[in-house]
Amino acid sequence: MNAVVASAVPTVSSILAGRALADAPGGRLTSVNPARLEEPVAEVLLGDAATMCDACRAARDAQPAWAAIPAPVRGRAIQQIGRLVEENKEALARLVTREIGKPYPESLGEVQEIIDTCNFFLGEGRRLYGQTVPSEMPDKQLFTFRVPVGVAAIITAGNFPVAVPSWYLVPALLCGNAVVWKPAEYAPATAAALAQLFLHGGLPEGVFNLVLADGPQTFAGLERALDAGLVDKVGFTGSSQVGSEIGALCGRHVQSPCLELGGKNPLVVMPDADLDLAVEGALFSGFGTAGQRCTSLGTAIVHESIHDEFLARFAAATEAAVVGDPMRDVLYGPMIHQRFLDRFLEWLELIQPHHAVHGSTGTGRITAENPRAGFVGDPDAGIFCHPTIVSGVTAQDDLYKLETFGPIVGVAKFADFDEALALANGHGYGLSSSIYTTNPKHAFRFRAGVSAGMVSVNNSTSGAEAHLPFGGNGKSGNGSRQSGIWVLDQFTRWQSMNWDYAGKLQKAQMDVADVPAELGFRLEG
Ligand code: NAD
């Protein structure tokens, strides 16, 4: 972590061209542990629009030299970053848990995802293949090359404060780009720690820059940097609302950003499903990370013949689940930040008289006065919420239509497959989806019909692997994909080259040899 002043609580700030900034033009804040609000995690010096723009300029200055380093050598830097993350795995995971309240085993998994991403891309430095392509003329050869985009500005949410950023940062750097990373302002200590691991991995100054700033200052700084021609690619992971603003801004600069946005992820339970498996999947999808994943379960869509049985088992499993201190053995811990608690309490108001509520001993914030049976720890010390299952959800309900980021899951009924599919798609999001069935026909028909970018069969809606394409459609994103080989198309551009060694001008389409044929020929009979 980047200590600017000596204090028991570290101070973190933006880092431009290897230099930690000591001023706070965007103001100061204290990051606190959401499971123990009295416990500060870091003092934060925020940058402003100028900081964002300056960081993009630092990246612009550093990028050509980085791109000139052979890709296998850049892969070596990625390898070293991965090793550093591995050596610091527990420390980084503890910080994730302290700052955003994710249960410790999940935080370890999140850090592992960075290591997996580095392991995948370090080898890509030795591939990054282009092609040799036959020409339509003799003595001429065609080639394709992957060219780095230039400067990538990466803006991320804080619910996956290290894994999701690494999905952008690692391939962007490997491909020869310089980056400016603007993490969520509610996970600044975690971001500063990850930045240190990247900076110690061997990246030259200015190739990796960190900006700590709020949303409006980030937007203003990005606009300035785009106007000044300092940014070539924007990667944004966050809400659909901000994503559409970023998309419009980039569109005005004739750029196509990566947009990874919100989700309202369906989980369809067919009458032939293994119900216990479906309940287990719904519990983890709906309430893991207190429902604060982009891939969290939005609505369980259950066949009418098994609806009551599924609901009873799901409610019982949710009632029995342990909520509380994220360093203990719990299904989920606190809300990530006060802002998510406030929004969650508003979303609870979407529950209508035609709905029924299940799953806990109360709704809303868990306190001594509004207790949760089996809670582990002191609920009043942090910001914890009851899990809430809402049955009787229909396609007309706001609860069905809106992403509700928190521990709330709707349950809707369907009569036939087409109705299930219509409910799975009707909200307009398209990130993740799941179907529980023992019939391959249902699984493949669902895959073909669902609008989501990701489909699980007999598995949770969440749980991406680091080498499979990740991304959404509709309100969930503009079709860009992260992870694996697919993200390379975001951080490189194809350049084509033709080389004519005929010693004369050969004109494409015009000077092409003919192949005489008898096209009037027909078989007899
Ligand atoms: P958010 O959109 O409020 O903020 C995300 C990031 O954008 C933060 O760094 C924030 O500071 C910044 N930001 C906010 N306003 C901005 C603006 N006008 N211009 C530029 N930057 C701005 O999202 P959040 O509430 O922090 O995160 C939760 C949301 O993120 C949910 O909708 C969730 O589904 C989504 N999410 C999506 C994915 C995915 O991969 N699809 C992953 C994680 C989270």
Side-chain angles (χ1 to χ4, degrees):
M1 205 169 300
N2 165 37
V4 174
V5 290
S7 119
V9 177
T11 298
V12 296
S13 67
S14 305
I15 304 172
L16 273 57
R19 197 172 63 86
L21 303 189
D23 59 347
R28 292 166 181 262
L29 57 83
T30 304
S31 170
V32 297
N33 181 341
R36 287 186 206 88
L37 295 171
E38 295 294 304
E39 182 189 311
V41 176
E43 298 299 329
V44 188
L45 309 181
L46 292 175
D48 61 3
T51 314
M52 183 73 188
C53 194
D54 289 348
C56 295
R57 187 167 287 107
R60 171 65 83 220
D61 291 345
Q63 193 267 334
W66 177 241
I69 292 174
V73 182
R74 295 198 301 261
R76 179 98 177 119
I78 298 302
Q79 180 185 31
Q80 288 162 181
I81 290 165
R83 280 192 185 162
L84 273 172
V85 174
E86 201 155 16
E87 293 301 322
N88 289 276
K89 182 174 177 180
E90 287 77 16
L92 187 58
R94 272 196 302 276
L95 189 54
V96 169
T97 296
R98 268 185 79 211
E99 193 165 45
I100 65 148
K102 193 171 275 202
Y104 184 61
E106 280 187 48
S107 297
L108 284 171
E110 165 140 9
V111 176
Q112 183 60 42
E113 210 161 321
I114 312 172
I115 300 163
D116 295 345
T117 300
C118 290
N119 285 345
F120 183 89
F121 283 105
L122 70 92
E124 199 53 44
R126 292 190 183 272
R127 288 184 294 270
L128 220 56
Y129 296 140
Q131 294 111 347
T132 56
V133 180
S135 167
E136 59 192 37
M137 280 163 297
D139 294 331
K140 187 178 176 192
Q141 187 62 55
L142 312 181
F143 306 88
T144 66
F145 298 86
R146 282 193 185 275
V147 180
V149 167
V151 171
I154 307 301
I155 302 167
T156 52
N159 58 333
F160 283 93
V162 290
V164 167
S166 78
W167 293 352
Y168 290 106
L169 299 171
V170 170
L173 291 166
L174 183 278
C175 289
N177 303 285
V179 299
V180 174
W181 177 32
K182 207 307 279 180
E185 55 274 47
Y186 50 86
T190 309
L194 184 64
Q196 288 301 340
L197 297 176
F198 271 79
L199 290 168
H200 283 86
L203 301 173
E205 270 184 11
V207 168
F208 178 100
N209 304 277
L210 176 74
V211 173
L212 303 181
D214 68 18
Q217 290 296 326
T218 303
F219 191 90
L222 183 64
E223 188 166 31
R224 239 185 255 181
L226 282 161
D227 282 341
L230 298 173
V231 172
D232 306 290
K233 186 80 183 180
V234 177
F236 175 81
T237 292
S239 59
S240 300
Q241 187 202 329
V242 176
S244 71
E245 290 168 28
I246 300 270
L249 174 64
C250 292
R252 287 206 297 278
H253 291 84
V254 202
Q255 291 195 16
S256 63
C258 305
L259 297 175
E260 304 294 344
L261 312 176
K264 188 73 186 179
N265 309 294
L267 183 149
V268 171
V269 188
M270 297 301 291
D272 51 58
D274 175 336
L275 273 198
D276 285 335
L277 195 63
V279 165
E280 202 184 352
L283 188 70
F284 181 70
S285 303
F287 299 117
T289 323
Q292 299 164 107
R293 299 178 186 137
C294 52
T295 52
S296 288
L297 168 58
T299 309
I301 300 166
V302 187
H303 190 261
E304 58 191 9
S305 65
I306 47 156
H307 171 273
D308 293 355
E309 181 60 25
F310 172 85
L311 183 59
R313 290 196 210 180
F314 184 31
T318 304
E319 280 161 22
V322 182
V323 178
D325 181 347
M327 285 306 285
R328 312 254 302 262
D329 186 14
V330 295
L331 175 62
Y332 71 84
M335 302 303 286
I336 291 171
H337 187 267
Q338 182 71 36
R339 65 196 235 121
F340 293 116
L341 171 69
D342 294 344
R343 281 196 226 161
F344 181 67
L345 297 180
E346 284 173 26
W347 283 318
L348 285 177
E349 289 168 19
L350 300 179
I351 299 172
Q352 300 289 309
H354 66 273
H355 295 142
V357 169
H358 323 253
S360 196
T361 41
T363 57
R365 185 166 175 185
I366 303 172
T367 60
E369 288 73 43
N370 183 23
R372 157 85 180 169
F375 187 89
V376 172
D378 174 8
D380 290 308
I383 41 175
F384 298 89
C385 285
H386 288 274
T388 302
I389 298 170
V390 181
S391 63
V393 167
T394 72
Q396 285 69 49
D397 297 341
D398 284 339
L399 202 53
Y400 163 81
K401 293 177 195 162
L402 302 173
E403 180 184 40
T404 46
F405 205 65
I408 183 167
V409 172
V411 179
K413 237 183 233 187
F414 72 91
D416 61 34
F417 186 84
D418 289 343
E419 191 185 356
L421 204 53
L423 283 166
N425 291 335
H427 40 70
Y429 289 90
L431 188 59
S432 182
S433 62
S434 169
I435 184 166
Y436 279 80
T437 181
T438 49
N439 184 337
K441 185 177 80 177
H442 292 147
F444 281 107
R445 282 184 62 201
F446 183 71
R447 184 211 62 75
V450 77
S451 55
M454 296 174 288
V455 185
S456 294
V457 180
N458 296 330
N459 196 7
S460 149
T461 54
S462 58
E465 297 193 32
H467 53 290
L468 202 64
F470 183 102
N473 306 315
K475 287 193 251 176
S476 296
N478 61 349
S480 59
R481 292 292 179 263
Q482 301 194 280
S483 294
I485 53 169
W486 300 274
V487 73
L488 295 176
D489 286 337
Q490 297 298 325
F491 290 115
T492 56
R493 294 200 175 123
W494 284 111
Q495 184 183 52
S496 64
M497 182 173 105
N498 74 84
W499 185 343
D500 194 320
Y501 44 92
K504 59 180 179 185
L505 178 65
Q506 302 190 88
K507 297 196 269 319
Q509 294 90 41
M510 290 173 264
D511 297 339
V512 180
D514 199 11
V515 182
E518 293 175 40
L519 294 180
F521 172 77
R522 298 289 179 272
L523 292 173
E524 283 177 16

